[in-house]
């Protein structure tokens, strides 16, 4: 299928084209503001589906609203009509089309001319009145408030929230792209004359800002967002895309002594803690047990011995481990345990524990495995 995408270099256009390519659509005609206008004639002659995403959000002159959102739509439709091309046309409008402002009026005018075109030509019209769209590649101070807040917080730029109680309806770019490709395949979601993206997130502006601030702080407190919450997961992915190019990495506090080091990596309130333990040759670590806290050990480099003894037993249980053959060793409660580096090089162990360390309730009791 030959697909025409106007606004190809814009926020939605770039994401859509990337996913179309992922799904093996190869004949994509990309048209944007800097494309030779003569190519539009060729594209509208040969295309079999049109994504009309081009538009104006924040012009230098307000008259550009009507020129960009209505005027170019008429040019596009005239070209299709000239070639007798009855390809389906998907257009991105806005919920602002319901309101009496210049941007909304221009979007409504674009809708109306497309619906009129549909009646005359019998070409399929798919009009999406989108709420606020967020996700990677959205332009700060242009596409959405979410993009602006993510960019500014990630780059230590001061933000201003006039009313944190403002409620926003948001759609995530991947959900938008999925819906648009469903429409390409004839499986659009539609109610009356308008199509819609079925997954909408309703959240206050204050909550959005608080979450983004928590993402920034997670690098120091080692927390991770709640990946079980769809909106939080999508917002975190969006935030990461605005990190400065020289700040993708961040340091961890390494607790170093003559035995090696112990470094916390991730802490969560409900999924435990992940740490990296480095032991020098011949070193034994551990020799303690827990009532409820439990752990998983994974040696990823070197070789060692993990020993267990039930606290009311003399039997010692041995597990030899190596980074050559990765296997997880569960540390049951009620067993004192240790880990010994049996190799000639440092042994690196990834350790998960069921709860983040709490110095007021450590649930850790010293007891040697071997008496």
């Amino acid at each position: 299928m030959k697909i025409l995408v106007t606004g190809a270099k814009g926020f939605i256009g770039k994401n859509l084209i990337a996913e179309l390519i992922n799904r093996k659509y190869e004949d994509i005609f990309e048209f944007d503001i800097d494309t030779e206008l003569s190519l539009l004639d060729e594209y509208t002659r040969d295309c079999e589906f049109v994504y009309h995403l081009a538009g104006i959000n924040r012009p230098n002159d307000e008259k550009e609203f009507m020129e960009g959102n209505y005027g170019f739509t008429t040019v596009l439709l005239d070209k299709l009509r000239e070639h007798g091309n009855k390809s389906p046309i998907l257009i991105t409008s806005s919920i602002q089309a319901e309101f009496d402002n210049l941007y909304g009026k221009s979007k409504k005018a674009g809708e109306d001319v497309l619906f009129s075109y549909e009646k005359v030509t019998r070409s399929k019209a798919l009009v999406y009145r989108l709420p606020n769209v967020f996700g990677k590649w959205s332009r700060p101070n242009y596409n959405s408030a979410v993009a602006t807040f993510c960019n500014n917080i990630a780059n230590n730029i001061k933000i201003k929230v006039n009313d944190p109680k403002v409620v926003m309806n948001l759609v995530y770019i991947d959900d938008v792209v999925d819906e648009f490709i469903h429409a390409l395949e004839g499986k659009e979601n539609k109610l009356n004359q308008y199509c819609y993206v079925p997954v909408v997130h309703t959240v206050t502006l204050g909550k959005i800002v608080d979450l983004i601030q928590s993402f920034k702080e997670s690098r120091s407190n080692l927390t991770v967002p709640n990946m079980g919450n769809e909106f939080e997961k999508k917002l975190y992915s969006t935030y990461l895309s605005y990190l400065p190019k020289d700040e993708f990495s961040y340091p961890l506090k390494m607790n170093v002594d003559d035995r090696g080091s112990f470094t916390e990596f991730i802490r969560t309130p409900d999924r435990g803690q992940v740490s990296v333990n480095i032991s020098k040759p011949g070193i034994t670590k551990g020799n303690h047990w827990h009532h409820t806290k439990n752990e998983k050990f994974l040696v990823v480099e070197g070789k060692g011995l993990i020993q267990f003894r039930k606290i009311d037993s003399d039997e010692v249980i041995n597990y030899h481990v190596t980074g050559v053959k990765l296997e997880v060793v569960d540390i049951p409660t009620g067993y004192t345990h240790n880990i010994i580096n049996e190799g000639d090089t440092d042994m690196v162990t990834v350790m998960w524990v069921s709860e983040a360390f709490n110095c007021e309730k450590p649930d850790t009791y010293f007891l040697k495995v071997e008496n």
Side-chain angles (χ1 to χ4, degrees), residues 95-298:
I95 55 174
Q96 291 294 317
E98 300 176 2
F99 301 108
D100 187 24
N101 57 62
L102 291 175
Y103 175 66
K105 287 179 179 179
S106 67
K107 283 295 189 181
K108 181 65 166 59
E111 294 177 0
D112 290 343
V113 73
L114 179 57
F115 285 135
S116 296
Y117 175 85
E118 180 183 35
K119 288 180 181 178
V120 172
T121 65
R122 302 300 179 186
S123 300
K124 186 176 183 180
L126 301 160
V127 178
Y128 283 84
R129 282 188 170 179
L130 296 176
N132 296 279
V133 186
F134 72 104
K136 67 183 182 303
W137 305 335
S138 179
R139 286 170 55 187
N141 304 305
Y142 185 82
N143 288 126
S144 77
V146 172
T148 303
F149 289 137
C150 283
N151 176 76
N152 289 9
I153 290 173
N155 289 275
N156 299 310
I157 301 172
K158 188 175 181 179
I159 65 169
K160 182 180 180 181
V161 181
N162 293 322
D163 185 358
K165 295 181 181 179
V166 168
V167 176
M168 300 184 70
N169 291 316
L170 301 159
V171 287
Y172 183 55
I173 187 61
D174 288 4
D175 296 325
V176 173
V177 168
D178 278 346
E179 171 62 23
F180 283 6
I181 295 178
H182 286 155
L184 174 68
E185 298 167 348
K187 297 179 289 187
E188 67 276 2
N189 283 286
K190 193 170 186 178
L191 181 63
N192 299 322
Q193 66 181 151
Y194 294 103
C195 302
Y196 63 92
V197 178
V199 182
V200 180
H201 301 281
T202 302
V203 61
T204 65
L205 190 58
K207 178 64 174 178
I208 292 169
V209 172
D210 287 346
L211 282 171
I212 298 171
Q213 292 281 15
S214 75
F215 300 157
K216 185 177 183 67
E217 294 163 2
S218 69
R219 288 181 153 207
S220 56
N221 61 29
L222 304 184
T223 59
V224 291
N226 179 6
M227 293 293 120
N229 181 292
E230 280 296 310
F231 175 71
E232 192 166 340
K233 178 174 68 174
K234 294 168 182 176
L235 186 62
Y236 183 59
S237 294
T238 302
Y239 169 77
L240 289 178
S241 71
Y242 292 93
L243 288 175
K245 294 178 182 178
D246 58 350
E247 292 186 19
F248 287 176
S249 67
Y250 57 99
L252 297 174
K253 180 187 176 185
M254 296 180 66
N255 301 290
V256 181
D257 58 25
D258 57 1
R259 301 174 302 160
S261 66
F262 182 81
T263 306
E264 294 182 10
F265 172 32
I266 291 174
R267 294 171 66 94
T268 71
D270 60 346
R271 293 293 187 271
Q273 173 179 309
V274 179
S275 304
V276 177
N277 181 75
I278 300 177
S279 300
K280 293 186 177 300
I283 291 297
T284 299
K285 290 189 177 183
N287 281 324
H288 58 235
W289 63 280
H290 316 287
H291 279 300
T292 302
K293 187 160 59 177
N294 54 89
E295 300 167 284
K296 293 179 183 290
F297 289 1
L298 173 63

Side-chain angles (χ1 to χ4, degrees), residues 287 305 307-309 314 316-318 336 338 340 367-371:
N287 281 324
L305 171 65
Q307 294 185 305
F308 301 89
R309 179 173 63 83
D314 294 327
V316 174
I317 304 167
N318 296 316
T336 186
N338 63 30
I340 305 168
L367 183 64
K368 285 186 175 183
V369 175
E370 292 187 322
N371 294 319

